[in-house]
Amino acid sequence: EVADRMSRGVFPLVSGIAIFLLSFGLILTFSRGVIIFFVFTTVLFFAGIFLLKKLKQYRKQALRLLLLVVSCQLLVVALAWPEVSSRFLESSASEPAIQERLFFNKVGADIVSQNYLQLFFGVGIGNFVHHYMQSFPGLATHLYQPVHNIFILIASEIGIFGLIAFTLFLASQLKKSIQQFFSSSYSYDRENKIMIFTLFCALCFVLCVSLYDHYFWTLQQGSLMFWISVGLLATVTSSYNKRS
């Protein structure tokens, strides 16, 4: 009994420290797109728990978690306010970071439309920057980067057919998860519902960030995060089908 009480007291403390450190790390990235998409998916997650009847048994836990997350975020913002304010309040659409992203997207679309071979088959996985340097020589070195949108990047590297296949695959996984979430409930599948919903929100976050950056396609760590998110969602949905 004493050990049980200690574990109940230690777990919230450990959770609070972990969420604070993750919040601090998120703010220190100073990536406006990632932070905005994180806020969006966080709102989606908690709104779903408070509004969907299938998740009503988790509302008390969600309220405590929401208060913890908001408190940690506000504390981190207060501690790093000078940097946060200069990064978010003094930004504009004309600054280089945004204009360069738009330029990379345009380059990706131009490479896809250069000829029919590239339109249908692309320039090869991992070859975008090399082809970009050959097609647009003489630019500043820092401008030779992958497209900061993985859908345009995929189209430029493996063609329009590859992009269609990739998009249909993701759409099918999201559709299956939504169908299973709203299917009839049984007494044993409450944990499956919250797992499906949580992984769905996580994948939505990854896909939103993928519209803004490229590291879920070009970096090993990013690719692992992306495919693990997809794999976990597919696994939970598949196991739910077998149990039903």
Side-chain angles (χ1 to χ4, degrees):
E1 184 178 351
V2 174
D4 183 59
R5 290 181 179 177
M6 289 180 63
S7 64
R8 290 181 182 179
V10 170
F11 181 74
L13 177 62
V14 173
S15 300
I17 294 174
I19 292 175
F20 173 78
L21 292 176
L22 290 172
S23 301
F24 197 61
L26 177 67
I27 297 297
L28 287 183
T29 64
F30 295 108
S31 176
R32 289 164 297 188
V34 172
I35 293 173
I36 289 171
F37 292 135
F38 174 79
V39 172
F40 168 76
T41 51
T42 300
V43 171
L44 174 66
F45 175 77
F46 286 108
I49 293 180
F50 290 124
L51 297 177
L52 295 172
K53 291 183 179 180
K54 293 183 181 294
L55 300 176
K56 63 181 181 180
Q57 65 269 23
Y58 295 101
R59 288 173 183 171
K60 290 183 179 179
Q61 298 95 316
L63 180 59
R64 290 196 293 267
L65 179 60
L66 176 60
L67 293 175
L68 181 60
V69 170
V70 172
S71 299
C72 289
Q73 293 286 347
L74 291 177
L75 178 59
V76 171
V77 170
L79 292 174
W81 176 247
E83 292 78 11
V84 172
S85 61
S86 63
R87 181 64 172 163
F88 285 86
L89 301 182
E90 299 176 12
S91 60
S92 67
S94 61
E95 63 183 70
I98 296 176
Q99 292 301 313
E100 287 174 4
R101 276 177 164 79
L102 296 175
F103 175 71
F104 297 146
N105 291 346
K106 183 178 183 302
V107 170
D110 290 342
I111 288 178
V112 171
S113 60
Q114 277 184 350
N115 55 63
Y116 288 113
L117 185 64
Q118 291 175 192
L119 175 63
F120 295 125
F121 302 104
V123 298
I125 294 179
N127 289 335
F128 174 82
V129 174
H130 176 70
H131 190 276
Y132 173 21
M133 294 176 69
Q134 290 184 327
S135 302
F136 299 89
L139 299 178
T141 305
H142 75 278
L143 290 177
Y144 292 113
Q145 300 182 36
V147 179
H148 285 51
N149 180 312
I150 70 166
F151 296 97
I152 299 177
L153 183 58
I154 289 171
S156 64
E157 291 193 344
I158 59 178
I160 195 68
F161 290 147
L163 175 62
I164 292 173
F166 178 77
T167 304
L168 289 177
F169 168 73
L170 289 178
S172 68
Q173 294 301 320
L174 293 173
K175 180 182 177 182
K176 288 178 183 177
S177 66
I178 293 173
Q179 288 176 337
Q180 293 306 323
F181 179 84
F182 286 104
S183 63
S184 58
S185 299
Y186 299 92
S187 59
Y188 57 75
D189 70 352
R190 292 180 179 178
E191 293 184 0
N192 289 71
K193 295 291 186 183
I194 189 64
M195 288 178 65
I196 290 174
F197 181 70
T198 301
L199 291 170
F200 177 84
C201 291
L203 185 56
C204 285
F205 169 73
V206 170
L207 292 176
C208 286
V209 176
S210 297
L211 298 172
Y212 181 80
D213 223 312
H214 59 83
Y215 42 75
F216 288 120
W217 182 258
T218 57
L219 298 183
Q220 183 183 41
Q221 302 92 323
S223 297
L224 284 172
M225 291 175 62
F226 179 83
W227 290 111
I228 287 174
S229 300
V230 176
L232 287 174
L233 182 60
T235 300
V236 172
T237 304
S238 176
S239 64
Y240 184 92
N241 279 328
K242 292 178 180 178
R243 296 176 67 180
S244 299

